[in-house]
Amino acid sequence: MSGALVNGDILVGFAGPPQGSATNEIDMLCENSMPMEWAFGNRVGSARAIRQLERATKVKGKPSMTEAYYSAVLDRPLDEVWSLIRDFNNYPAYIDGVSESEIEDDKRGDEVGAIRRFCYLGNWIRQRLVDHSDEQRTLTYAGLDALPYPQDDGSRTPAPTRYQGTMQLRPIIEGNRTLIEWAVVLETEPADADRWQALFESWIPDWTNSLARTLARPR
């Protein structure tokens, strides 16, 4: 995810993630930092995710929706990929820069309603699992707080966004491979929609590439 923090020529205000497993320095940052309302997301292609956020938008009188989407082919069987990502608490195993994660209130990592609190690049983030299906190989989660736009070049900062993400796996018969669709639904101010969309469209491929690197390691 080394490129996940750079959007064009705008440097988003966090250092690049460590290569391979998280370092002790990242662990120390997480232990000593105050929780920050900074998080990231997943799939937009889920109509259910879009409808849920649209309902929330209408109730609160908030702006309309925008979305970011990315898909890729993973050179591993469907069941192998799903076994890695199905546990909501397994982020440190496949996302570079996530040094630790815990599920609150002793819930299971596949239990709808579970809240994960994880440390990413020295920042604590909380997300709720809102949908999970072993049959469909999909999971959907939502940030518990509005996400502020990361520090940039000093120009006008977009208003915070609320987000909901979905990861969906589909089988590719040829070669016994897997299609992953990873997308994020964003609730934004109209003037900020393009910048938020571009930012997530730069992040999601890096998270997907991190997953692919994990799957390629010898076991």
Side-chain angles (χ1 to χ4, degrees), residues 7 11 34 44 47 49 69 87-88 91 104 106 120 163 188 191 193 217:
N7 180 20
L11 177 62
M34 296 296 291
V44 194
Y69 172 84
D87 187 337
F88 195 48
Y91 243 15
E104 299 180 1
D106 297 321
Y120 176 60
Y163 65 97
T188 70
R217 292 173 191 149

Side-chain angles (χ1 to χ4, degrees), residues 90-217:
N90 209 30
Y91 243 15
Y94 65 89
I95 296 295
D96 292 341
V98 177
S99 58
E100 56 184 297
S101 177
E102 61 184 16
I103 297 290
E104 299 180 1
D105 300 323
D106 297 321
K107 292 184 179 293
R108 302 188 315 273
D110 60 355
E111 184 175 350
V112 171
I115 295 172
R116 68 179 172 195
R117 180 175 179 266
F118 61 96
C119 184
Y120 176 60
L121 302 179
N123 304 288
W124 285 105
I125 300 160
R126 296 175 73 238
Q127 297 171 342
R128 184 189 302 276
L129 184 64
V130 298
D131 194 21
H132 185 284
S133 173
D134 284 317
E135 181 179 359
Q136 299 297 324
R137 270 82 165 194
T138 184
L139 63 85
T140 299
Y141 60 86
L144 293 183
D145 301 285
L147 173 64
Y149 199 86
Q151 178 182 343
D152 56 20
D153 61 357
S155 61
R156 188 190 70 84
T157 301
T161 183
R162 292 196 174 272
Y163 65 97
Q164 183 162 289
T166 300
M167 302 171 73
Q168 170 81 60
L169 302 183
R170 304 180 190 277
I172 297 177
I173 303 303
E174 181 182 3
N176 194 18
R177 296 175 295 169
T178 301
L179 173 69
I180 181 170
E181 296 176 286
W182 193 335
V184 183
V185 182
L186 302 162
E187 179 187 326
T188 70
E189 295 293 338
D192 301 331
D194 288 346
R195 289 185 69 186
W196 273 114
Q197 183 180 44
L199 186 61
F200 272 87
E201 286 180 347
S202 72
W203 281 344
I204 298 171
D206 289 314
W207 302 330
T208 304
N209 290 338
S210 178
L211 171 60
R213 287 192 298 271
T214 300
L215 291 165
R217 292 173 191 149

Side-chain angles (χ1 to χ4, degrees), residues 40-96:
F40 48 79
N42 323 263
R43 166 176 165 79
V44 194
S46 166
R48 186 184 319 181
I50 296 173
R51 288 196 300 270
Q52 287 171 340
L53 274 180
E54 283 177 340
R55 284 196 294 269
T57 295
K58 292 177 182 177
V59 171
K60 295 182 290 184
K62 296 278 182 153
S64 59
M65 314 305 296
T66 188
E67 57 187 51
Y69 172 84
Y70 182 74
S71 63
V73 174
L74 301 172
D75 195 24
R76 306 302 299 176
L78 177 69
D79 288 343
E80 181 178 338
V81 180
W82 180 241
S83 69
L84 180 61
I85 72 171
R86 71 173 302 279
D87 187 337
F88 195 48
N89 200 34
N90 209 30
Y91 243 15
Y94 65 89
I95 296 295
D96 292 341

Side-chain angles (χ1 to χ4, degrees), residues 18 21-32 99-100:
S21 59
T23 65
N24 290 334
E25 292 179 354
I26 292 295
D27 292 332
M28 291 176 63
L29 280 171
C30 289
E31 291 172 2
N32 296 327
S99 58
E100 56 184 297

